[in-house]
Amino acid sequence: MRTSTKTELGDFLRSRRARIRPEDAGLTAVGGRRRVPGLRREELARLAGVSVDYYTRFEQGRAENVSDAVLDAVAAALRLDTAETAHLTRLVRNAGRAGSRTAARGADSDDGAQRVRPGLLRLLDSMPGTPAFVVGRRTDVLAWNPLGAALLTDFAALPPERRNKARLVFLDPDVRGRYANWRTKARDLVAYLRYDLARHPHDARFAALIEELAEHSPEFVELWQEQEVAEKTHGGYHLRHPLAGGFTVAYESLRLPDDPDQILIAYTVEPGSPSEAALRILAAAAAAATATATGHGPAGGAGAADAAGPSGPESEPAPPRPGR
């Protein structure tokens, strides 16, 4: 399932052209039977104010030194949202660098281990009533607090290379079963994976993860082909937990200002709700588990080794879902 940056760019733009009918864009459809859904290249070029030849080269990743004005015009014509526009910009810039000697040598490879600052680990510890964890590139789970482990899964029992959100959601039956609407969660996760991959086009471990998911999950392949893109921001999930039953959580994602490859994710529940009572059950279990063990992952390394808490995955889309 390996694809080049130029192929990714073309697939993404074609998928976005397919979403827009000529009449919805204020154009009069001309000609007889249309061979493609949505806008043709010439129609998109007209809306963006560029020549058909230039847009064709743009879509094929052959246009050099594309200006911000052209990117903005194409994004506006395709009605891209903020995340999609950022994704398009990265694809275009990556395609322009694809043939450079630097890229060919992999000089900007992102394979290095990510490390979580001690202060951030202390922050996780200071939130005993809030499930929280730190996610890095490729949705690797780098650190967590006891309640985060109780809610999601026992990360300490997993080898570091398997502490990965996407791998758990698609390939771990227990985690998958925690989501009341697994399909929605999976789609959101794939949209974020594609967004993050464009930020790290030369990350060999990222490419290996995509290959593994495609090999073992037909559902991943189907969702990946939809070309959806989204940043991880905030939203809500409905969980089915074997210990606490069904309940709803909301989450906030806070990207670290000095390390945009790490995101602190914290879950909350509505005060006084049945979900709060369910979370208290998990908190009690987590507290009992940490009575004899440390409750967070160590600083340094791409994982956390000493997190304690009962096995218990994560959440599933339900109430607040403005983000992913």
Side-chain angles (χ1 to χ4, degrees), residues 90-114:
R90 292 187 185 106
L91 290 178
V92 170
R93 301 307 183 210
N94 292 341
R97 293 192 296 264
S100 71
R101 291 167 58 189
T102 298
R105 289 197 305 265
D108 54 347
S109 173
D110 294 307
D111 294 339
Q114 293 182 277

Side-chain angles (χ1 to χ4, degrees), residues 165-172 175-176 179 182 185-186 189:
K165 184 75 170 298
R167 185 180 283 111
L168 289 168
V169 168
F170 278 96
L171 305 183
D172 187 305
V175 173
R176 177 173 177 145
Y179 292 87
W182 178 87
K185 171 60 182 178
L189 183 54

Side-chain angles (χ1 to χ4, degrees), residues 108-112 137-138 197 200-208:
D108 54 347
S109 173
D110 294 307
D111 294 339
R137 292 190 299 270
R138 307 173 292 268
L197 178 58
H200 304 286
H202 307 298
D203 186 334
R205 290 178 59 190
F206 213 142

